[in-house]
Amino acid sequence: MIDQFAFLIAEGFKSFYRNKLASFLCVITIFINFSILGSLFVVGYNTNSLVDFFRSKYSFEIFLKNDIDEDDYTDFMDELSRNNIIANTELIDKEKSAFIFKEEFGEDVVEMLGYNPLPLSIKVFINEESFEFDQVDLLIESINTYDFVDEIEYRGRYINDIEDRINLAIFLFLVFVIAIIFLSYQIISNTVNLSMTNRKDFIDILKYNGASGIFIKIPFYIESILYSVFGSVFSYLFIKYFFISFNTYFGVNVKLDDNLWLWIIGFSIFIGLYSSNQSMKRNLNE
Amino acid sequence: MVEFKNISFSYSKDSGVFDIDLKVNDSEFCFLVGPTGSGKSSLLKMIYFDILPSEGEIDVLGYNSRKTKKNKIHKLRKKIGVIFQDYKLLKQRTVYENIALPLHINGVGRKKIKYNVEEALELTDLLDCQDKYPNQLSGGEQQRVCIARAIVKNPEIILADEPTGNLDPAAAHKILKILEQINKEGTMVIMATHNYKLISDRDYRIIELKAGSLVSS
């Protein structure tokens, strides 16, 4: 049994070695495909962080009328805090508004006009986990009904647009990923096809001497695993060092998933085995 | 035992084998004769279930052509050695490796492989050629390698499809002698040939085919 298994393993390696040119081209193609696929994965992985970043910035500001008294806005803030889609609120009183104005425009508005015209406002931060635009819209609508509310500044819809574009990009990535997976499938399948055609005599001899289907297939499975492993290991190394260099050169922090190597190699082996199995089914008339 | 029960198989309207009823017993040596296209090879292919009859059925060593599932055919083939006219040797492997292949398929251990291969090489007088590649051998030697590969697993049946077709008379006689020797040890041998001169002085059963039908058996 061990001798038989050793024989099959050796046959797989011999087949890989004998079809040098086809094997080389297959490894190169898997390398290119999985380098693109892995890079897309890294981009997708970091895009999620970008979306989270935008979501963490979801907030709106309620400007209150000048005649509001302290009890009203304190009660109002308590009421807002009890709403579960609101993470927290921050009161920006007239003094703080003047300070922000000075920081942003370099002018002291009180000194300039002799009084503080800036309104009192409340900054409301949305809970990003339970965030839904419709709920925020409803909340804003209800806040607008209060007499002491002057105006609400809300930029969520702009962020929503950005998110929509990111989602579109992710969708296009997915289409691209599917195309690359299909291409990898075709290439491995065709290489195994070629390998089986080259070794038709070998397969016939195995068949006529009583080899079972699995016995005939194992060397070709091993061959396709070798294509996948070589191609994907090279592509993982390429991606890793590419993004390390990218981060260093542009001073950014593109993160790599710790399991990226496992994902790339595992997925590549899966595609390799699946496509070679399909190819063998065709060739062995199963 | 091999038994054809009223079998037919056609490639086209005029070619194939038709209504064959035939029985070959264990340890028997028989020649399958007939002109090219008479159906000799088809009949041999049916014995190792490479072709299945469209009508009738075949029983080979307890395997029935109707009842045996496709994924069980390999078990029957382990008991049959096939010798091809075109040798079907693997050019990138040495004589030793070519002969050892059926034993690897049967899961035989390395030591037993070495013993069995050397025995087959001795019987076919190829001991000096074991490290050579097929293209370094003559036609007769290549055919003997093919025979060695067929007998190395001690099959119950040897099917030889025109094994002397490409050989000179001396080499053809040598092949026939080897097959006779194998048969003496109890293996059924069915040899397809159209070389009547070669078999004329042999006293074995002759099964004659013409245009896919049995003329005499």
Side-chain angles (χ1 to χ4, degrees), chain B residues 24-80:
Chain B
V24 182
N25 293 315
D26 294 340
S27 308
E28 202 176 337
F29 192 119
C30 60
F31 292 113
L32 198 57
V33 297
T36 305
S38 59
K40 301 187 296 292
S41 297
S42 300
L43 221 55
L44 291 183
K45 282 181 177 177
M46 283 186 184
I47 296 175
Y48 56 94
F49 290 4
D50 197 29
I51 294 176
L52 294 173
S54 47
E55 281 173 44
E57 58 190 56
I58 315 164
D59 275 321
V60 183
L61 303 171
Y63 290 85
N64 181 279
S65 60
R66 279 178 193 262
K67 293 173 190 161
T68 306
K69 287 182 182 166
K70 211 175 172 184
N71 61 355
K72 301 285 179 210
I73 291 175
H74 70 98
K75 290 185 177 177
L76 165 68
R77 290 180 180 165
K78 279 185 176 164
K79 298 177 180 180
I80 300 174

Side-chain angles (χ1 to χ4, degrees), chain B residues 33-185:
Chain B
V33 297
T36 305
S38 59
K40 301 187 296 292
S41 297
S42 300
L43 221 55
L44 291 183
K45 282 181 177 177
M46 283 186 184
I47 296 175
Y48 56 94
F49 290 4
D50 197 29
I51 294 176
L52 294 173
S54 47
E55 281 173 44
E57 58 190 56
I58 315 164
D59 275 321
V60 183
L61 303 171
Y63 290 85
N64 181 279
S65 60
R66 279 178 193 262
K67 293 173 190 161
T68 306
K69 287 182 182 166
K70 211 175 172 184
N71 61 355
K72 301 285 179 210
I73 291 175
H74 70 98
K75 290 185 177 177
L76 165 68
R77 290 180 180 165
K78 279 185 176 164
K79 298 177 180 180
I80 300 174
V82 188
I83 299 162
F84 303 93
Q85 184 181 6
D86 60 352
Y87 324 130
K88 290 198 190 302
L89 298 176
L90 302 171
K91 290 178 192 113
Q92 289 168 313
R93 285 161 207 257
T94 62
V95 166
Y96 182 97
E97 287 168 335
N98 267 286
I99 298 170
L101 197 59
L103 299 175
H104 285 297
I105 295 168
N106 287 0
V108 177
R110 211 182 306 168
K111 279 183 187 169
K112 183 97 170 59
I113 288 178
K114 192 171 185 303
Y115 178 79
N116 282 15
V117 172
E118 279 173 2
E119 208 178 36
L121 284 166
E122 204 177 324
L123 184 72
T124 49
D125 196 18
L126 285 167
L127 273 170
D128 296 339
C129 304
Q130 59 177 310
D131 295 323
K132 289 184 180 171
Y133 288 88
N135 57 8
Q136 296 172 304
L137 304 175
S138 68
E141 285 170 329
Q142 289 190 50
Q143 191 54 285
R144 278 186 278 146
V145 175
C146 188
I147 294 173
R149 186 181 59 194
I151 62 170
V152 74
K153 58 182 177 180
N154 295 319
E156 292 178 44
I157 303 173
I158 290 277
L159 304 174
D161 191 2
E162 305 265 11
T164 58
N166 298 329
L167 307 178
D168 61 71
H173 273 285
K174 198 167 184 178
I175 297 296
L176 198 51
K177 275 199 161 184
I178 295 169
L179 292 176
E180 284 175 319
Q181 200 175 332
I182 296 162
N183 174 250
K184 271 180 195 157
E185 286 164 23

